[in-house]
Amino acid sequence: LNSSPDAVRDLGDLPIKTSKGTTIYLRDVASVRDGYSPQTSLVHSNGKKAALVMVLKSASASTIDVVKRIRATLPAVLQTLPKELKVTLLFDQSLFVRAAIDGVVKEAIIAAGLTALMMLLFLGSWRSTLIVVISIPLSILVAVIILGALGQTLNVMTLGGLALAVGILVDDATVEIENIHRRLERKKPILSAILEGAQEIAVPAFVSTLCICIVFVPVAFISGAARSLFVPLALSVVFSMLTSYFLSRTLVPTLVRYLLQAEVDEQAREHKNPPGFFGRFHLAFERRFTSLRDAYGSALAWALAHRSLVSISFGALAILSLGLMPLIGRDFFPQVDAGLIRLHVRGPSGTRIEESERLFARIEETIRQVIPAAEIDTMNDNIGVPPSGINLSLGDPSMISSADGEVLIALNEHHHPTQRYVRRIRETLRREYPEAIIFFLAPDISTQVLNFGLSAPIDVQIVGPPGNQQENLSIARALDQTLTRIPGAADVHLHQVVDAPQLKLNVDRTLASQSGLTQRDAASALLVSLSSSGTTAPNFWLDEKKGVQYAVSVQTPQRSINSIETLGTTPLGPGTGGTPQLLANVATVARTTGPTNITHYNVAPTLDVLVGVDGRDLGGVAEDVERAVKAITPKLPRGSSIRIKGQAESMASSFRGLGYGLIFAVLLVYLLMAVNFQSWLDPLIILMALPGAIAGIAWTLFLTQTTLSVPALMGAIMCIGVATANSILLITFANQRRAGGHEAKPSVLAAGMTRLRPILMTALAMIIGMLPMSLGLGEGGEQNAPLGRAVIGGLLLATFTTLFFVPVMYSLLRTRAPVPPPELEA
């Protein structure tokens, strides 16, 4: 059928009605043209008008893979567009993701190199160092394979877990090779040295590895988005650690058998010939280490002789360190300087998009006066709401009307701290544009995820029935004023806009009924006239030559409705007797105000007071907000409630889950060691190293001005596992000495001096491995810096505790030699 015209101009030839032999065509009553719908959004890129296409990925897809495919497809798409059209990639999150991943990989490589140098220094053997270092890439490779099988991807968190494990992956191999070396120095045959050395530490190393793995159980207690972030990190550590132990039982002894035999022969020849440069260097290091071990033995002997003084001093240090916790502050996740600024501006309610465009032009000029032009890469704005309901639902919930818009600023690579510019922009715009509501949004992926799409990390939500809306609104406004005065609270604002100008039509039902019209007739006529027929009856025309489908809509030109009087001339259709009626004949129009956006939580209407954080930790601001909420709660009307949601709520639940999980993990570690040692007392002595680890973490975070966050807690978990493993080595050797009939004091003294080297090597390997991460260098380095700092600080003091306080407690609590277990009968 020829039901659709071939050209746009032919639409005007469509007949509408034939009356008294005269045909009325569409062109007689309407202007038919290839136009556009009334604009509801505007975009500018560096001051020039543009169209913005946002590409979102699904949750299971890889950011880098999606961007790579888009870049590959883009040239073919551009071939179909006019040559005059310039297409530019503005914001590519894969660049930040790629840079962050590269940073983590570089940190891991640097950590592995530093660890290898430290091993070479302690062992004095490049062959032994090679054997130890080989376990690092093999363990990581196996962990990556298992993570891939479980559906995980290589991202900042999984790579961060592998980087965290680099320092500890050498632990099992290091202790084993050090044990073998001690036997080789006693002139034992290499095969006997391997078998005895590996057998002696097989069980303690297994228990130590399991303890490190078990302490990651608390991650299962994290809730919300943080669980998705940190479960992959924990899995990567656990899988690589288990692989490392397996390699220490299989590959390491094999490599020792084939590589160290040549070294033993070389050492025999060096006794007859003068050593080379490295040999002399290692001999000098060994002399100094021997002096250090002798000094440590003297210090430990003094501590064992003054056990009360050492115990009281350590207890005082632990209590003092706990007192630092309130001064550290709490954040859910470290703030990342991604070189992006995302500013939201909300003009006066009801502002037309043309006026919003002028406001944004002035604001952007002011921003350029704050940020030097040399540091701005791009500055884009996105004003108004998209015409598509799909785009509206997938976009930022803060974009609610033509009065709203965002300014997106990307800084050049070498720029001053972004947060400094954010503060200056906030102060300047608040002073020069008091009529606008201005707040900053999270520009980086991690914070956006943790905010759950909200505009701020703290959301004070007032929920109540519709009848309480006015009272709830008064309380929300009072709360807005109160929360603004909280130190560290920034960009406090009410999310809902409740005073947008509106026109209310009062239809005289009697007159309308007498005219043969209804409320529906008035509503439908106004809807088509003001919002087009596309709202109620979408229609499309296909251009067969171009293959493009155009929406066909009927609408009164906006210029024709420029007053309430002209609105009253809207025809409502034929009434009784076929006489057309105008809106003004049956209705009056009154000015009023109403909400621009309406939100619900579990069906109930809500009001949200959003609070940002600047210059202070999230936990401190959240506590002050909670006190303000408790003070105002008694004023709530009956049926209304108030709660704090957003990132602050998730942080509180995650910290609570981590706390409970950590207690549960320590209990599991205790029970595991109780089974291994067949004693309730030895595990308790071993866990005496944990207060030292916690104290070290507290002091390090306090001195480096690092807040307590989930990454810092992950570092604390790792530190507790390593500290426990070192204590197990010490206590195991002491028990072996006591089983031979020695007293507790000399046994633990000998254990300390014998295990000094492996304990120092393990701790230093972990500390050196965490040094690159703790500096927070590179893109996104701030994310994992607290993790590295917590590990370093905790291990520094935990190692000292393991070497001094644990032996003191062992000598105090172990007063009798254990009875060797009876031999089992065949």
Side-chain angles (χ1 to χ4, degrees), residues 100-101 103-112 115 135-136 139-140 143-144 147 155-171 211-213 215-217 219 229-242 244 658 697 709-723 761-774 783-795:
I101 290 175
V104 174
V105 171
K106 289 176 182 176
E107 289 171 359
I109 293 174
I110 294 172
T115 303
S135 63
I136 295 178
S139 300
I140 289 176
V144 169
L147 288 172
N155 51 53
V156 175
M157 302 314 298
T158 51
L159 289 174
L162 296 174
L164 172 64
V166 162
I168 198 64
L169 287 180
V170 299
D171 181 25
C211 287
I212 295 175
C213 296
V215 294
F216 280 95
V217 169
V219 177
L229 289 172
F230 291 101
V231 165
L233 184 147
L235 290 177
S236 59
V237 173
V238 170
F239 292 143
S240 57
M241 282 297 304
L242 292 176
S244 171
L658 273 175
I697 293 167
S709 57
V710 174
L713 288 173
M714 296 296 292
I717 289 171
M718 188 66 168
C719 178
I720 287 172
V722 176
M761 289 173 68
T762 301
L764 286 176
M766 194 68 190
I767 291 171
I768 292 173
M770 289 292 100
L771 271 178
M773 184 182 291
S774 66
Q783 292 181 349
N784 290 324
L787 189 153
R789 292 167 189 168
V791 170
I792 291 174
L795 271 185

Side-chain angles (χ1 to χ4, degrees), residues 461-465 468 472 605 607 633 636-643:
Q461 190 178 81
I462 302 174
V463 184
N468 292 349
N472 290 345
L607 293 169
T633 299
L636 287 172
R638 185 180 179 185
S640 295
S641 61
I642 187 169
R643 59 172 66 92

Side-chain angles (χ1 to χ4, degrees), residues 239-260:
F239 292 143
S240 57
M241 282 297 304
L242 292 176
T243 305
S244 171
Y245 179 79
F246 176 77
L247 292 176
S248 71
R249 300 295 96 206
T250 55
L251 181 65
V252 170
T254 305
L255 292 177
V256 169
R257 174 68 181 86
Y258 285 103
L259 292 180
L260 287 197

Side-chain angles (χ1 to χ4, degrees), residues 66-120:
V66 169
V67 173
K68 180 181 177 181
R69 290 168 181 263
I70 289 172
R71 286 181 176 272
T73 308
L74 204 54
V77 175
L78 296 181
Q79 294 296 323
T80 65
L81 302 178
K83 294 181 180 179
E84 298 79 11
L85 195 64
K86 181 183 178 182
V87 179
T88 307
L89 285 170
L90 296 177
F91 293 93
D92 184 354
Q93 288 280 15
S94 72
L95 297 177
F96 173 75
V97 174
R98 198 185 302 275
I101 290 175
D102 289 345
V104 174
V105 171
K106 289 176 182 176
E107 289 171 359
I109 293 174
I110 294 172
L114 293 174
T115 303
L117 287 176
M118 190 273 295
M119 292 295 165
L120 184 61

Side-chain angles (χ1 to χ4, degrees), residues 14 163 165 281 284 300 337 389 395 539 623 644 659 737:
L14 294 176
F281 179 81
L300 180 57
D337 188 348
N539 193 15
E623 287 177 357
I644 298 176
R737 296 278 296 181

Side-chain angles (χ1 to χ4, degrees), residues 260-284:
L260 287 197
Q261 181 63 57
E263 185 175 292
V264 171
D265 297 338
E266 286 181 7
Q267 289 176 353
R269 289 194 298 269
E270 284 179 0
H271 281 297
K272 302 176 182 179
N273 303 313
F277 170 76
F278 182 74
R280 292 193 300 272
F281 179 81
H282 181 64
L283 288 175

